[in-house]
Amino acid sequence: MFNINNIIRDNIRNLKPYSSARDEFKGCEGVFLDANENPYNEPYNRYPDPAQRIVKEKLASIKGVRADQIFFGNGSDEAIDLLIRAFCEPRQDNIISIDPSYGMYEVAADINAVEFVKVKLNEDFSLNVSAIKQAINQNTKLIMICSPNNPTANSLNIQDMLSLAEGFKGLLVVDEAYIDFSSQPSLLRFMNDYSNLVVLQTFSKAWGLAGLRMGIAFASPEIINILSKIKYPYNVNVMTQKLVLEALEEVKAKENWVSEILLQRKYLTEMLQGLKIVQKMYPSDANFILLKVANPREIYDYLVQKKIIIRDRSKVTMCEGCLRITVGNKYENKALYDALLEYENKTK
Ligand SMILES: *Cc1c(COP(=O)(O)O)cnc(C)c1O
């Protein structure tokens, strides 16, 4: 059975966390002479709420979870790093992940000197559940997967994902950065059934707030408390908390963007399918499209010279010949299509 006490690192369990001025006095009215702040330059002179309580309450009501099931990080990258630092003993423990997927997982593992084991997806980009289960050993603390997956753009099967959590003594971390674009629901609704499930989401994609740096981890209060204990005290700044709260009060704006992007994804898919240089298009459940061409580097360079920047993913496992294209607005997508058509006519 999963027991958080069996996987937390000893130094983290025994850690006496830094207690900031704002931890010790949580009120928001009074004469504040406790944090050595400058009395001028409101509101930036004040330290942010280290627990981001107001933003958490708001997000909890929208997502149908409790505020104590939410951790906010300086981007999802912070949550990924803290999960590794809390649970993986350097040079001893390991993380199992999928290949291909988001490169940041491996970088974060390498920085922390934690072994990173990659299990290839099946040919159709689905999870190879049995291979992942075979790779698990007593030092496996995290299984990190991504759905919809970057760069393959597909959602993973829900039962496949949940089966990895069942009977696993470590944490199953599912990165749902692109969940708003997916035809499949979030795993959030299984959170209360799986005490070892961590769901990552972000304000960087559907919410249009990549520049503010705000990532989310949803998990049991026990897991959230551990992450909160080891984060930098003021990891989410005043402006980010304020603007994210405003965004959460305008959920409709996010929903409208998502609908428009999904519509543009459909149009862009249809346009690109008509190009002879496109050999294969993979179905997308995200805000980007993965496609296969004969000469990815040449097309990439041609587009760069037209000041259109896409991602060459042709060196990535199972993505030979592949380009990854973010769905833009209709003008951006048209510019991309026109440039590809021009390339096609030139090289005919
Ligand atoms: C874009 C992306 C993120 C977002 O990271 P942030 O640090 O929150 O901006 C997370 N995971 C994946 C797989 C992504 O592609």
Side-chain angles (χ1 to χ4, degrees), residues 75-77 102 105 146 150 175 177-178 202 204-205 213-215:
S76 313
D77 296 340
Y102 185 44
Y105 310 142
C146 183
N150 179 5
D175 185 344
Y178 300 99
T202 180
S204 295
K205 308 286 156 64
R213 312 306 303 130
M214 183 75 140

Side-chain angles (χ1 to χ4, degrees), residues 328-343:
N329 65 32
K330 62 178 173 184
Y331 306 105
E332 294 171 324
N333 299 338
K334 179 75 166 44
L336 169 85
Y337 175 75
D338 289 346
L340 287 174
L341 191 62
E342 194 180 279
Y343 171 87

Side-chain angles (χ1 to χ4, degrees), residues 2 7 83 96 127 132 141-146 158 160-166 168-175 187 194-200 218-219 223:
F2 171 76
I7 65 163
L83 284 164
I96 297 175
L127 272 182
I132 293 176
K141 296 298 165 67
L142 306 178
I143 297 176
M144 300 204 58
I145 60 179
C146 183
I158 291 183
D160 284 356
M161 290 192 277
L162 292 176
S163 77
L164 295 176
E166 270 155 37
F168 177 46
K169 294 193 174 67
L171 299 180
L172 172 68
V173 182
V174 182
D175 185 344
L187 290 195
Y194 294 85
S195 53
N196 59 343
L197 175 64
V198 180
V199 174
L200 303 181
F218 298 96
I223 297 169

